[in-house]
Amino acid sequence: MSNGWKDHLGASSSEPLPVVIIGNGPSGICLSYLLSGYNPYVKPDAIHPHPVLQRKLTEAPGVSIVDQDLDYLSEGLEGRCQSPVALLFDALLRPDTDFGGNVESVLTWKHQKERAIPHLVLGRNLPGGAWHSIEGSMVTLSQGDWMGLPDLQVKDWMCRKRRGLRNSRATAGDIAHYYRDYVIKKGLSHFVSGAVVTAVEWGTPEPSSPGARDPSPLFQVNGFVTTADQSQQPFSLCARNVVLATGTSDSPARLGIPGEALPFVHRDLSALEAATRAGTVSPFSDPVLIIGAGLSAADAVLYARHYNIPVIHAFRRSVDDPGLVFNQLPKVLYPEYHKVHQMMREQSILSPSPYEGYRSLPEHQLLLLREDRQAVFRDPRGLQKVFGIALVLALIGSHPDLSFLPGAGADLATDPNQPLSAKRPIDVDPFTYQSIHREGLYAVGPLAGDNFVRFVQGGALAVASSLLRKEARKPP
């Protein structure tokens, strides 16, 4: 627990903190970097390959990007993301990466301490968040350079660590180490690890003096910190703004069928690894049932195939559904995932093919699981099929745990009638990332619909720009 944390804890009853960030993954780290006084400027001699953006950048020379009109700058940009500010920041950091180019960033960074905004970053893990919970040898989906944060490229960091990229991709362990190292190298001293937020309460606005701007809303942030001796120290902080950066992978999605709670049903690849080590599953056991058509399910298939463990792979969609992630990944960069997609297409239960020990069940719905390890399905024609299985891995996505918010944050979503998820995120203004429904509350990363590290940084830029404008409007 840092001295800065103790100071804030002691002062929490008097002066509110301007910003509390809940979550210390890439989104939280990038926002802390910007709030610590690091400001992006366009290099004087830089020429952006996008002619319209280049013209706009020349209209405000010497003005930091955070102080410019992000709506105007991002207008007309297209790419692999729905967020205009995410596309803008990505275009400034990696000007032609989608075309295979290597044009350097047009940005330079200046540390202007007088522009820093006091803040705290609260996280359960070390800086890097959920990356510390991923199996270290797993290779990242995105290219290594797309995992980087401002002003420290992953490839440069890897060279210093005498590490290398695999087919332009890094391991999860390397990326987790990079994020932790980034916080140290950039001198970001506002992080508190081992912090669990248990409640965020909407407070009452601060009283305003005559002639002052409208009062800021206040938030009460309660929780506890696990200290070095494993004791739990409660805290209660008052903040003018709260940024949600916790991601969406807290609670695995449920199947909603009878038998889901049986002891052989799991929701994490580590369960398959443990069962393999224990001999519960083997080349001679009943198949492992893997449910899902995303990358986690593909990783489980690849793992089982490596150990010659028989697999039944069931999913609701058609293999040619354009919404399947495999149909959106370049084959050259992701050959292993395209191999799984090929198996899903060719090894259906009704069509024999060379993939011994693997069965694909496209457009099948799991109806129930029995205690005798029988799985009952309904196929596309409405017929029931029963399979004996050794273990079930339900890898069908996840939902964020926002139980610390009033109503678990349900009224903040784009669709209040559906649970929050990466596909149904918090409803935010696209140019500030402030909640449409709650002033002073922001969301970044997957909670705002930005699911790749490459694009979460745009959300941090939008939040920093909004908060700097608020600070500028404060009365002296």
Side-chain angles (χ1 to χ4, degrees):
M1 191 162 56
S2 69
N3 290 330
W5 161 254
K6 292 178 181 177
D7 292 343
H8 285 305
L9 184 62
S12 61
S13 59
S14 53
E15 178 64 21
L17 268 171
V19 188
V20 168
I21 303 168
I22 304 174
N24 63 356
S27 301
I29 295 172
C30 186
L31 180 54
S32 179
Y33 179 70
L34 292 166
L35 296 183
S36 296
Y38 289 93
N39 285 278
Y41 291 81
V42 177
K43 296 174 184 174
D45 56 346
I47 298 178
H48 199 282
H50 191 295
V52 176
L53 180 56
Q54 169 62 21
R55 176 180 56 78
K56 292 179 180 179
L57 293 174
T58 61
E59 293 172 2
V63 179
S64 172
I65 295 297
V66 296
D67 297 321
Q68 296 193 39
D69 185 341
L70 301 182
D71 186 351
Y72 173 66
L73 289 179
S74 60
E75 186 179 4
L77 294 177
E78 297 179 348
R80 302 183 185 182
C81 177
Q82 299 300 311
S83 164
V85 182
L87 289 174
L88 169 65
F89 205 25
D90 185 62
L92 297 173
L93 292 167
R94 291 169 281 270
D96 63 347
T97 189
D98 280 337
F99 302 100
N102 55 2
V103 173
E104 286 189 2
S105 169
V106 299
L107 298 179
T108 185
W109 293 85
K110 297 180 182 179
H111 192 195
Q112 299 167 307
K113 294 181 180 179
E114 70 280 4
R115 304 202 66 195
I117 298 177
H119 63 281
L120 272 184
V121 185
L122 307 176
R124 294 172 178 261
N125 300 315
L126 293 169
W131 282 93
H132 292 285
S133 304
I134 301 173
E135 168 59 42
S137 62
M138 294 284 286
V139 177
T140 62
L141 170 62
S142 298
Q143 293 187 54
D145 281 347
W146 292 355
M147 308 300 295
L149 297 175
D151 203 30
L152 180 60
Q153 291 193 37
V154 169
K155 64 181 179 181
D156 294 338
W157 179 87
M158 296 277 278
C159 283
R160 292 192 204 114
K161 298 292 180 181
R162 301 185 183 276
R163 303 281 292 167
L165 297 173
R166 275 190 232 168
N167 194 23
S168 298
R169 291 150 71 194
T171 66
D174 283 334
I175 295 302
H177 189 186
Y178 163 83
Y179 291 141
R180 188 176 61 190
D181 223 27
Y182 184 92
V183 169
I184 296 170
K185 287 184 178 296
K186 297 300 181 183
L188 307 182
S189 58
H190 308 283
F191 283 73
V192 181
S193 299
V196 176
V197 174
T198 56
V200 174
E201 299 170 1
W202 317 143
T204 54
E206 295 177 275
S208 57
S209 57
R213 67 183 178 97
D214 291 339
S216 295
L218 288 182
F219 299 87
Q220 196 73 31
V221 181
N222 301 320
F224 62 86
V225 174
T226 302
T227 58
D229 61 2
Q230 298 305 302
S231 64
Q232 294 181 349
Q233 180 172 339
F235 65 80
S236 182
L237 296 167
C238 197
R240 294 194 194 99
N241 301 278
V242 168
V243 183
L244 303 174
T246 55
T248 57
S249 58
D250 296 305
S251 304
R254 312 288 294 182
L255 293 165
I257 60 166
E260 184 171 13
L262 288 168
F264 56 85
V265 181
H266 304 277
R267 293 173 179 80
D268 195 284
L269 178 58
S270 62
L272 178 57
E273 295 169 345
T276 304
R277 289 192 299 269
T280 309
V281 296
S282 72
F284 311 105
S285 69
D286 281 336
V288 170
L289 172 58
I290 298 172
I291 306 169
L295 298 179
S296 296
D299 286 333
V301 170
L302 291 168
Y303 181 90
R305 296 286 294 167
H306 179 75
Y307 288 98
N308 296 316
I309 296 167
V311 169
I312 295 175
H313 185 192
F315 44 97
R316 292 189 179 188
R317 295 187 181 190
S318 160
V319 290
D320 296 315
D321 187 323
L324 277 186
V325 68
F326 307 104
N327 293 318
Q328 303 168 30
L329 298 177
K331 290 184 179 180
V332 175
L333 283 178
Y334 308 102
E336 73 277 35
Y337 289 131
H338 280 278
K339 183 65 176 179
V340 173
H341 192 206
Q342 181 182 349
M343 292 165 60
M344 292 164 65
R345 175 180 287 111
E346 296 179 3
Q347 182 61 24
S348 117
I349 189 171
L350 300 176
S351 58
S353 82
Y355 306 113
E356 184 179 353
Y358 173 87
R359 284 181 176 178
S360 163
L361 301 181
E363 300 179 76
H364 278 62
Q365 182 177 358
L366 183 60
L367 300 177
L368 65 95
L369 294 164
R370 296 174 176 157
E371 289 187 23
D372 60 354
R373 297 180 187 252
Q374 299 285 308
V376 182
F377 285 90
R378 182 168 58 226
D379 72 8
R381 295 173 297 175
L383 302 176
Q384 287 195 5
K385 295 174 181 174
V386 182
F387 300 94
I389 44 96
L391 181 140
V392 178
L393 275 185
L395 303 171
I396 55 173
S398 58
H399 303 299
D401 180 6
L402 297 179
S403 57
F404 55 84
L405 293 179
D411 59 339
L412 303 174
T414 51
D415 184 352
N417 298 316
Q418 295 289 333
L420 278 166
S421 69
K423 295 179 181 177
R424 294 178 291 273
I426 290 175
D427 199 3
V428 297
D429 180 286
F431 300 104
T432 65
Y433 279 59
Q434 184 169 226
S435 166
I436 298 296
H437 305 288
R438 177 64 56 176
E439 183 189 352
L441 186 69
Y442 296 79
V444 290
L447 283 175
D450 297 334
N451 296 307
F452 293 99
V453 174
R454 173 183 172 187
F455 295 118
V456 302
Q457 300 170 59
L461 175 70
V463 174
S465 177
S466 172
L467 292 173
L468 282 165
R469 282 178 166 80
K470 285 185 178 181
E471 287 294 304
R473 292 198 302 267
K474 284 176 62 178

